[in-house]
Amino acid sequence: MDSSSTNTVVLGCEATDDDAFSPYGRIVRRPDNIAASLASGAVESWRLPFESASPPQIMFNRYHDKGRNFSVMEKHLHVTQCFFPMGDVPYIMVVGIDQPDGGTFTPKDVKAFYIDGNHGVLLWRNVWHSLARFPVGAEYIDLAFITDDDTQSEIEHHLAGGPLPEKTAFIDFQKAHQTCFQVSDPDYTSIKP
């Protein structure tokens, strides 16, 4: 595609708080002033609403800083996904949701969130997200990642030349809307907690 006909949307990073992120998922952090789901002896536990249609798949992902331009997003139809940073590196999570009236998912539905390096993210099912997580102030970010085995196996099979996954939907905004995204550097003074 001719790059002169491609529109670039610059995404500014939004502050990440529970309310702002709630349509897309849940911020995972150390609980403060929240009763534990289980308290027994030396352990307190808080449940997270992870949903999976097949056995969980726990992975370790390293996202390198390869720039902040992208056009492809994906959503998973049968699993929530969790990302837990390792190493206290902040990152940017790009997400979006379909229009509530069933309208087309468009570039105006895409948002970028600055995530503190000691907070994780639990994405709801059917939440669009960029394929990369964008490290802030580092060459890469390491994330522990929880998904489900069927979803991950389908994606890996597709990347090896197999058919498109059935449990994951993709959109390439460059092809569908002649649009690419560029995530801007966050304004640390206004969004860092």
Side-chain angles (χ1 to χ4, degrees), residues 5-26:
S5 65
T6 300
N7 179 40
T8 298
V9 174
V10 177
L11 297 172
C13 288
E14 298 188 23
T16 303
D17 62 39
D18 293 336
D19 291 337
F21 201 76
S22 66
Y24 312 103
R26 182 172 172 175

Side-chain angles (χ1 to χ4, degrees), residues 26-176:
R26 182 172 172 175
I27 301 301
V28 181
R29 62 173 67 95
R30 290 181 185 98
D32 290 326
N33 304 318
I34 300 172
S37 304
L38 169 70
S40 175
V43 66
E44 292 179 284
S45 299
W46 290 263
R47 288 182 181 261
L48 295 173
F50 182 79
E51 298 175 11
S52 171
S54 70
Q57 175 67 252
I58 301 171
M59 302 174 68
F60 177 88
N61 288 351
R62 175 169 285 167
Y63 293 94
H64 295 270
D65 185 358
K66 298 287 187 184
R68 295 197 180 135
N69 297 315
F70 69 96
S71 65
V72 178
M73 295 181 77
E74 66 182 6
K75 69 176 180 177
H76 307 292
L77 310 177
H78 303 287
V79 64
T80 55
Q81 291 188 322
C82 293
F83 300 90
F84 299 99
M86 304 172 78
D88 208 26
V89 174
Y91 58 105
I92 298 166
M93 185 84 196
V94 178
V95 293
I97 53 176
D98 291 317
Q99 294 290 318
D101 62 1
T104 303
F105 181 57
T106 66
K108 69 178 177 52
D109 300 314
V110 178
K111 294 186 178 241
F113 287 93
Y114 172 91
I115 310 292
D116 188 273
N118 59 22
H119 294 162
V121 170
L122 170 68
L123 293 180
W124 305 139
R125 285 180 293 150
N126 293 305
V127 168
W128 292 99
H129 54 282
S130 61
L131 304 182
R133 309 303 160 260
F134 303 99
V136 175
E139 292 181 23
Y140 60 85
I141 181 170
D142 292 331
L143 295 168
F145 171 48
I146 304 173
T147 186
D148 78 1
D149 191 57
D150 288 352
T151 299
Q152 187 63 30
S153 293
E154 265 194 347
I155 291 170
E156 290 175 11
H157 183 68
H158 169 65
L159 293 174
L164 281 172
E166 294 178 7
K167 298 175 184 317
T168 300
F170 295 92
I171 184 169
D172 185 336
F173 279 97
Q174 186 165 1
K175 290 180 181 173

